[in-house]
Amino acid sequence: MFASSLTALSRPKALCAMLLVTALPACNSVDESRTSTSGTNLSPDYERLASTANETSTLGGVALRLQPIPTATTLTTSSGTLDHASGATTINDGAYTLVDPDGFSAGGLLTDGVSTLFSTPAQGFSGNYDYARVYSHAYFINTVPFVTTGVYGVVTRPQDMPTTGSATLTGEAQASYFNSTTNFDLSKGTSKIEANFANGTVDVTTDQFDITNRETGVSANVGFNGIKITGMKIFGNQFSGGTITTQQNGRDVEIITDRAQESALGRFFGLTNSGQPDEAGGIGYLRGDDGSLTTIFLAD
């Protein structure tokens, strides 16, 4: 599903089709028992997404918003709240606010009766995270269809962000590549997020993807098998900027030459007892005359 929404960037008809619930693939339930390896090292001051405590958490994240008419791609932060007792969830991606009064259905869906948000392991991520999820959200604004793909969760409070030390988080990644003629899915990738809190920088490495031609489902060689985002800057509980490079077996290769748009944005989620964010995730987007590349990553 994640790859479908990214592919829609270059295929407006596919984007419109995604807005119909019947056109979306079936999603499996989120297995909330599958928590991260952090275990008892999680701060008691932060409720996990699966918590049913009488508490309300501040949600936040990042979102890639795709608009076909006129064609536009926007990478932005998202915000919201979660009432853990009732499940009531609000998510705003900067253009649309979804309010679900009773939270996720058994199938991993949020809906306000008009739009539907999917957040399940069917997105290509295991669901093995305490504070964050990957999602896709389809909706209309003034008859114009949109699809937003993003990461959201219980964000680390800005005042809890460390200013010393460093952390390395490992997890998963998905990506989509369009070379001006063909769409490719990069699935089942790994991610490594290296945060240097003293210097205020973040580097992200994603690799080990399974790469297939989206139309045929056949394995493909696209000239790269890894994506790096280096030199992102930390501000509050966010990180952004940096340089996106593609790699083939660890060696830099230039796949998209004319960079008309290059952006990356991420957030930190939760907190450990040692005073560091427990999880982090984000999105990188690169577009030129010879194609576009989007990667989404989540790690703990």
Side-chain angles (χ1 to χ4, degrees):
M1 185 186 302
F2 165 70
S4 299
S5 58
L6 291 184
T7 300
L9 170 63
S10 53
R11 299 175 62 193
K13 291 182 179 179
L15 176 61
C16 294
M18 284 190 63
L19 294 163
L20 301 177
V21 173
T22 55
L24 290 164
C27 296
N28 298 319
S29 300
V30 177
D31 183 355
E32 296 291 12
S33 66
R34 299 170 63 193
T35 54
S36 79
T37 55
S38 300
T40 58
N41 191 39
L42 301 179
S43 170
D45 294 331
Y46 284 74
E47 296 295 331
R48 304 183 191 190
L49 287 173
S51 168
T52 57
N54 188 25
E55 299 287 346
T56 298
S57 291
T58 298
L59 301 181
V62 301
L64 184 75
R65 189 168 60 246
L66 311 180
Q67 172 186 330
I69 308 169
T71 302
T73 304
T74 304
L75 184 56
T76 183
T77 58
S78 59
S79 60
T81 58
L82 169 60
D83 182 324
H84 293 276
S86 67
T89 303
T90 299
I91 297 178
N92 182 305
D93 67 5
Y96 188 98
T97 301
L98 182 149
V99 180
D100 187 312
D102 54 8
F104 278 97
S105 69
L109 309 181
L110 290 177
T111 182
D112 55 9
V114 178
S115 69
T116 302
L117 182 150
F118 293 79
S119 179
T120 80
Q123 301 289 60
F125 290 75
S126 71
N128 190 29
Y129 301 91
D130 289 299
Y131 299 110
R133 287 175 175 162
V134 174
Y135 72 92
S136 290
H137 183 199
Y139 54 83
F140 287 89
I141 297 179
N142 297 327
T143 73
V144 177
F146 291 81
V147 169
T148 294
T149 299
V151 180
Y152 87 96
V154 180
V155 289
T156 308
R157 301 177 190 117
Q159 63 269 28
D160 289 339
M161 284 293 300
T163 56
T164 60
S166 61
T168 298
L169 310 177
T170 58
E172 303 163 278
Q174 303 280 324
S176 181
Y177 170 55
F178 176 63
N179 67 359
S180 297
T181 60
T182 307
N183 289 287
F184 299 92
D185 294 337
L186 287 75
S187 62
K188 301 179 181 178
T190 63
S191 66
K192 181 170 69 172
I193 302 174
E194 298 174 283
N196 187 318
F197 301 112
N199 294 338
T201 60
V202 171
D203 295 332
V204 177
T205 301
T206 63
D207 56 18
Q208 300 182 36
F209 292 104
D210 290 346
I211 305 174
T212 57
N213 180 308
R214 180 160 184 76
E215 295 295 332
T216 65
V218 175
S219 296
N221 181 352
V222 293
F224 71 97
N225 53 20
I227 306 162
K228 294 193 72 172
I229 310 174
T230 55
M232 302 178 76
K233 300 297 184 182
I234 298 173
F235 59 103
N237 59 19
Q238 306 178 35
F239 49 97
S240 68
T243 301
I244 301 173
T245 57
T246 46
Q247 296 189 321
Q248 179 76 340
N249 300 327
R251 179 178 59 87
D252 288 355
V253 291
E254 191 171 27
I255 299 297
I256 298 175
T257 55
D258 182 13
R259 301 185 173 215
Q261 188 173 350
E262 180 180 18
S263 55
L265 186 61
R267 301 289 286 268
F268 292 103
F269 304 98
L271 196 72
T272 67
N273 281 326
S274 56
Q276 293 187 339
D278 183 59
E279 298 165 0
I283 298 174
Y285 177 67
L286 179 61
R287 178 180 62 84
D289 290 339
D290 46 1
S292 62
L293 173 66
T294 307
T295 182
I296 185 167
F297 51 89
L298 184 57
D300 65 8

